[in-house]
Amino acid sequence: NLRKYLSDKYPGVKGINDKTTTLEQTQWGPAGDLHMSNVTPKGGWGSEIEGIENRAERSRAIARAFIANEAASLFGTTDTAEYRESKFQADEYGHYHILYKRYIGGLPIKKSSIHIHLKNGESIHSMTATVAAPSPAAYQAAAKKTISKGKIRKIIRDDLKSSDPAVSVGVSKAQK
């Protein structure tokens, strides 16, 4: 049960309800939406933020620690580098808002992001995630190397030159 898992791990967690939380296990991992507030683990953040005086950097450290702690259970990956910070903003109240988007092999995954709102660089005030569960085929496709149009032209040009040195390959303005 998701609610029990989260409340055991984050004793003060609130805001988890059936209307805003649709996260469920699929054949390739968790998928759906999750919203919760007041997210602090048992014992606090501890070593994750130890010695970090700057509130902005402490906020980033807390957010990354949360993602690392929940990557496999809630966000469907063991590679936390798949979630990249795409927006960092401080508001007039001293709160920080961080948006992470998910990438596989450099390609963005639609409907897969985490918004973390931190209060004064000390705690996660709220977290909203939309989680996609990419298939193994998506990982395989993302891992394939692609080549640019220029490289394709060069290969074709070289192939054609080797068979007929008089042939010229180019792209017309209409094709560009």
Side-chain angles (χ1 to χ4, degrees):
N1 176 311
L2 179 63
R3 189 180 318 257
K4 180 169 177 15
Y5 167 79
L6 292 171
S7 61
D8 285 351
K9 197 163 183 182
Y10 306 99
V13 71
K14 297 178 184 166
I16 304 167
N17 66 53
D18 296 333
K19 291 181 182 177
T20 59
T21 298
T22 61
L23 194 67
E24 63 184 19
Q25 191 63 32
T26 70
Q27 69 184 41
W28 295 309
D33 296 318
L34 173 63
H35 174 80
M36 58 186 177
S37 58
N38 198 29
V39 183
T40 302
K42 288 179 182 175
W45 294 105
S47 62
E48 287 93 342
I49 62 169
E50 193 174 301
I52 303 174
E53 298 297 322
N54 179 286
R55 288 189 315 165
E57 291 308 311
R58 193 168 52 239
S59 293
R60 280 189 167 107
I62 289 170
R64 290 302 311 168
F66 175 74
I67 291 171
N69 288 338
E70 299 303 337
S73 299
L74 297 179
F75 307 128
T77 182
T78 56
D79 183 1
T80 59
E82 286 183 7
Y83 282 96
R84 299 180 192 168
E85 183 181 306
S86 71
K87 185 176 182 181
F88 182 88
Q89 178 181 338
D91 66 23
E92 65 271 18
Y93 304 107
H95 299 180
Y96 296 92
H97 308 272
I98 309 173
L99 171 63
Y100 293 91
K101 292 188 177 179
R102 187 173 183 182
Y103 292 81
I104 297 175
L107 302 172
I109 303 301
K110 288 185 177 185
K111 296 184 179 182
S112 202
S113 63
I114 305 169
H115 300 251
I116 299 178
H117 307 274
L118 297 109
K119 191 173 186 177
N120 298 318
E122 296 296 330
S123 63
I124 296 178
H125 174 68
S126 66
M127 187 284 312
T128 302
T130 300
V131 181
S135 69
Y139 279 93
Q140 291 169 354
K144 288 185 180 177
K145 300 280 185 211
T146 59
I147 57 176
S148 67
K149 286 181 184 178
K151 183 112 176 161
I152 292 169
R153 285 187 204 112
K154 183 179 179 338
I155 292 168
I156 293 170
R157 194 176 295 125
D158 291 348
D159 285 351
L160 291 173
K161 281 182 182 176
S162 68
S163 61
D164 185 354
V167 174
S168 172
V169 176
V171 176
S172 71
K173 288 182 183 179
Q175 291 175 318
K176 286 185 180 178

